[in-house]
């Protein structure tokens, strides 16, 4: 949850109050696609066919699935550059006597720089395509040969690289509030270190331990929805409203003054 608070602080910083910025928050579900996982430890590399579980809507293992992004768009709102954070969780369900537990439940997080392009716009409904590249920021926890690896969710590392392709449909809700549906494909490659026992039944001594590394590629389809704030329309709406109000008040004052002049003229006559 701390990473969510940090991202929200960054995205709601004073720079967000400038025009042409759009902030969006997403919820959703990621469907894990088939992949492999390779272990580099004792002896030759071992290739596994992991079965991942997302648990996108649970809050027991950290926060549920969420994502957030902030983008700056050009003057015509045709294209934009965005920063996006995608928090997804994966749990290995086909464990064995060697890998007794493995998850990246505090986030197989993607921190991405996106390019977004508006493909279609009509009556407030917009269709936007985006492509993004960046880093995998992960925190894994595992039990290998009875040895626990992890720090309880307090440590995050740059574990690899990742990217996304996405298609979004925006729907206006209010003057500057938008709702949307978005379909994503993400891919990442992360390296996760671990410690294990040479002899699982042996004593807990330094000589009986070894270190290794899991290489964890991950591919997923994401079904997401959310809301956003279009600061460009927010500030332009306020500006237009203020100018309209000034004109209305000016007209009212002029009308009152004109009536007073007519009354004064009739009294004289």
């Amino acid at each position: 949850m701390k990473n969510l608070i940090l991202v929200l602080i960054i995205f709601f910083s004073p720079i967000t109050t400038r025009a042409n910025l759009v902030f969006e928050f997403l919820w959703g579900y990621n469907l894990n696609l088939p992949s492999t996982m390779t272990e580099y430890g004792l002896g030759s590399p071992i290739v596994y066919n992991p079965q991942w579980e997302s648990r996108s809507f649970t809050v027991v293992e950290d926060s549920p699935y969420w994502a957030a992004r902030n983008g700056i768009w050009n003057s015509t709102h045709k294209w934009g550059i965005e920063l996006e954070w995608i928090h997804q969780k994966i749990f290995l369900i086909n464990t064995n006597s060697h890998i007794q537990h493995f998850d990246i439940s505090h986030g197989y997080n993607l921190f991405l720089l996106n390019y977004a392009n508006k493909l279609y716009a009509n009556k407030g409904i917009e269709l936007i395509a985006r492509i993004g590249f960046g880093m995998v920021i992960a925190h894994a926890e595992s039990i290998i040969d009875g040895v626990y690896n992890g720090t309880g969710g307090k440590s995050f590392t740059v574990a690899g690289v990742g990217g996304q392709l996405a298609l979004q449909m925006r729907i206006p809700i209010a003057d500057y509030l938008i709702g949307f549906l978005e379909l994503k494909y993400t891919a990442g490659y992360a390296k996760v270190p671990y410690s294990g026992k040479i002899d699982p039944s042996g004593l807990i001594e330094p000589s009986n331990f070894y270190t290794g590394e899991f290489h964890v590629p991950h591919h997923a389809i994401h079904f997401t929805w959310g809301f956003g704030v279009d600061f460009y329309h927010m500030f332009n709406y306020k500006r237009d409203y203020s100018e309209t109000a000034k004109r209305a008040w000016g007209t009212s004052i002029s009308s009152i003054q004109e009536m007073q002049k007519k009354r004064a003229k009739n009294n004289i006559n």
Side-chain angles (χ1 to χ4, degrees), residues 94-204:
N94 57 331
T95 55
N96 53 43
S97 58
H98 170 55
I99 306 175
Q100 298 160 320
H101 177 84
F102 187 93
D103 71 58
I104 310 181
S105 60
H106 296 285
Y108 194 104
N109 302 296
L110 297 173
F111 184 53
L112 305 175
L113 177 65
N114 297 335
Y115 170 76
N117 187 272
K118 188 178 297 183
L119 304 177
Y120 171 85
N122 185 28
K123 297 181 179 180
I125 298 177
E126 300 174 339
L127 191 64
I128 296 171
R130 58 178 44 87
I131 183 171
F133 298 97
M135 302 177 290
V136 176
I137 300 178
H139 171 79
E141 295 187 46
S142 63
I143 300 176
I144 310 298
D145 298 326
V147 180
Y148 171 77
N149 297 271
T151 55
K154 298 180 181 179
S155 177
F156 292 85
T157 60
V158 177
V161 296
Q164 75 162 332
L165 295 172
L167 186 64
Q168 177 192 37
M169 182 177 68
R170 287 178 177 173
I171 304 170
I173 298 176
D175 299 311
Y176 47 81
L177 295 177
I178 53 177
F180 59 85
L181 300 173
E182 184 167 333
L183 181 67
K184 295 175 177 289
Y185 166 76
T186 63
Y189 192 95
K191 297 180 179 181
V192 177
Y194 73 91
S195 295
K197 284 183 180 181
I198 298 174
D199 180 5
S201 61
L203 298 176
I204 303 177

Side-chain angles (χ1 to χ4, degrees), residues 202-214:
L203 298 176
I204 303 177
E205 297 179 353
S207 60
N208 193 34
F209 284 85
Y210 72 96
T211 59
E213 194 173 63
F214 289 104

Side-chain angles (χ1 to χ4, degrees), residues 6-53:
L6 176 60
V7 170
L8 291 179
I9 290 174
I10 294 173
F11 282 1
F12 280 120
S13 63
I15 191 173
T16 310
T17 61
R18 298 178 182 177
N20 291 342
L21 289 177
V22 178
F23 171 81
E24 294 173 304
F25 192 88
L26 301 77
W27 292 274
Y29 171 80
N30 59 295
L31 176 64
N32 303 302
L33 301 178
S35 63
T36 61
M37 181 174 72
T38 306
E39 179 184 2
Y40 295 88
L42 293 175
S44 301
I46 304 174
V47 179
Y48 302 95
N49 294 308
Q51 296 177 20
W52 299 113
E53 191 174 55

